[in-house]
Amino acid sequence: MRATAIAQPNIALIKYWGKRDLERNLPAVGSISITLRDLFTEMRVELDERLSADKLIVNGSSDETMLPRLSSCLDLVIGGARPRAHIESRCNFPIAAGLASSASAFAAATVAAACAIGQSLSNEALANVAGRSSGSAARSLLGGFVELENRETDIVVRTLCDSGRWPLTVVVAITETAPKAVGSTEAMEISRKTSPFYSNWVERQDQDLQTARDAILKRDFEQLAAIAEHNCLKMHSVMWASRPPMVYWNSATMRCLQTVRKLQGDGHGVFFTIDAGPQVKAVCVPECAADVRSALVATEGVADVMVTGLGDGARLVKAP
Ligand code: DP6
């Protein structure tokens, strides 16, 4: 009745922003991401008939913040009448700060919960359970370049290209480690209801997906860079034009973008992307990683820099 799974966060290159079904947490748009290698969340789930309530320990300390969502995730996998669980999570990067901590957490929790009760779920079933807990979590079930297809009644995830076939490097510039003020779930709804750009964002997503898919299949870095930056800035434009506005950037975020522009001007193969937080992820060809890292370390306001390659999907680390 226990299992441990590990999952890596993923960074969307073509973003998910907005829901078409709040109840089932179905996204309004498809998305494409890369799964990272060196950032991780390890999740241990132990079901215990003697417990009267679920318990969550995060990095060694009791933490209730994520508990309701994790409890619902276990209910979805195991059923609401399940024994209560002792959940222990370990994570090596800042939580809820725009680094996709919920993606790796729910992907790992889904895989661990299914194994804890000896259930072998299809990839499709795992994706729909993880995706109900957090849309981006379904993408962390797989490695490399991952597409989440927004089908009529559910979602489907598939690998477009393995991490080994196009081994890009991601340099994450951390400009703030505190949790963000407004979570993505709430911010997406504000955008959907109030942003004058929202419907246009949804309508144009298929074109961006097609361009990115094509770039990944050809391994065309320039094409991927152009569409990923465009899609990122478009998502942030939707957020900025919402009421109240959702501005996740700080001054160091902007300075990091200028650093990336300067690196591009000097001929480096690098592009930026930013999620619902102030961190900047610079995706680059491995030969440029050292220069990208030094340039971001030297950028004013950058608190820390993490460098990672692309990694694999969620997996068990310990059988019951
Ligand atoms: C900006 O997956 O965190 O990172 O489904 O409400 O949990 P919920 O949202 P979440 O949103 C991720 C938003 C994003 C873009 C992306 O990862 O595609």
Side-chain angles (χ1 to χ4, degrees), residues 78 125 148 229 237 275 280 288 293 319:
I78 308 172
L148 183 148
E229 289 191 352
S237 307
D275 290 302
V280 175
C288 295
R293 183 184 181 281

Side-chain angles (χ1 to χ4, degrees), residues 17-306:
W17 194 251
K19 300 172 197 292
R20 71 182 154 89
D21 184 332
L22 202 53
E23 173 84 359
R24 287 183 299 157
N25 202 39
L26 291 174
V29 290
S31 52
I32 292 179
S33 61
I34 42 180
T35 303
L36 306 183
R37 186 188 57 210
D38 301 321
L39 280 63
F40 69 85
T41 302
E42 190 182 88
M43 196 63 82
R44 180 177 183 275
V45 174
E46 178 165 12
L47 299 163
D48 186 342
E49 303 281 0
R50 293 165 305 178
L51 287 177
S52 56
D54 292 334
K55 286 199 164 70
L56 174 63
I57 307 282
V58 178
N59 290 334
S61 315
S62 177
D63 185 335
E64 303 285 289
T65 334
M66 280 256 273
L67 187 56
R69 285 176 80 190
L70 274 170
S71 294
S72 308
C73 175
L74 300 197
D75 290 349
L76 284 170
V77 181
I78 308 172
R82 65 179 169 82
R84 298 301 100 186
H86 185 84
I87 311 163
E88 233 179 289
S89 138
R90 225 160 46 81
C91 176
N92 70 342
F93 61 98
I95 294 174
L99 284 171
S101 55
S102 63
S104 48
F106 289 112
T110 304
V111 171
C115 177
I117 52 153
Q119 209 176 52
S120 127
L121 294 179
S122 66
N123 235 9
E124 207 163 301
L126 285 172
N128 280 286
V129 171
R132 262 187 95 145
S133 301
S134 183
S136 52
R139 298 186 312 235
S140 275
L141 291 170
L142 302 178
F145 293 77
V146 178
E147 174 160 12
L148 183 148
E149 284 180 43
N150 183 23
R151 300 260 177 98
E152 213 158 280
T153 51
D154 57 4
I155 55 165
V156 172
V157 286
R158 65 189 175 108
T159 299
L160 293 175
C161 175
D162 289 329
S163 53
R165 280 191 64 211
W166 199 9
L168 298 180
T169 302
V170 182
V171 182
V172 183
I174 297 173
T175 65
E176 170 70 68
T177 50
K180 54 198 173 200
V182 186
S184 332
T185 310
E186 187 186 344
M188 280 185 205
E189 275 305 282
I190 295 174
S191 287
R192 184 179 66 79
K193 290 180 186 152
T194 67
S195 178
F197 303 152
Y198 182 78
S199 57
N200 193 280
W201 155 256
V202 173
E203 272 161 34
R204 285 169 183 255
Q205 185 80 341
D206 281 349
Q207 274 172 29
D208 291 4
L209 286 167
Q210 180 54 44
T211 308
R213 207 182 288 127
D214 183 57
I216 292 163
L217 297 181
K218 292 189 302 199
R219 275 169 276 162
D220 182 333
F221 189 83
E222 304 254 299
Q223 185 174 324
L224 186 62
I227 195 63
E229 289 191 352
H230 168 70
N231 189 266
C232 163
L233 294 175
K234 199 161 52 173
M235 177 186 77
H236 284 277
S237 307
V238 172
M239 295 173 175
W240 284 32
S242 301
R243 292 184 164 182
M246 303 291 143
V247 179
Y248 285 106
W249 301 12
N250 58 31
S251 50
T253 311
M254 196 62 216
R255 277 194 287 270
C256 288
L257 297 200
Q258 286 162 344
T259 298
V260 172
R261 281 284 178 266
K262 167 93 178 54
L263 285 161
Q264 289 170 333
D266 295 343
H268 289 89
V270 59
F271 65 87
F272 64 78
T273 189
I274 308 161
D275 290 302
Q279 331 301 357
V280 175
K281 291 98 180 191
V283 182
C284 61
V285 294
E287 310 84 87
C288 295
D291 287 347
V292 172
R293 183 184 181 281
S294 337
L296 286 169
V297 165
T299 301
E300 193 192 331
V302 171
D304 198 6
V305 167
M306 298 171 99

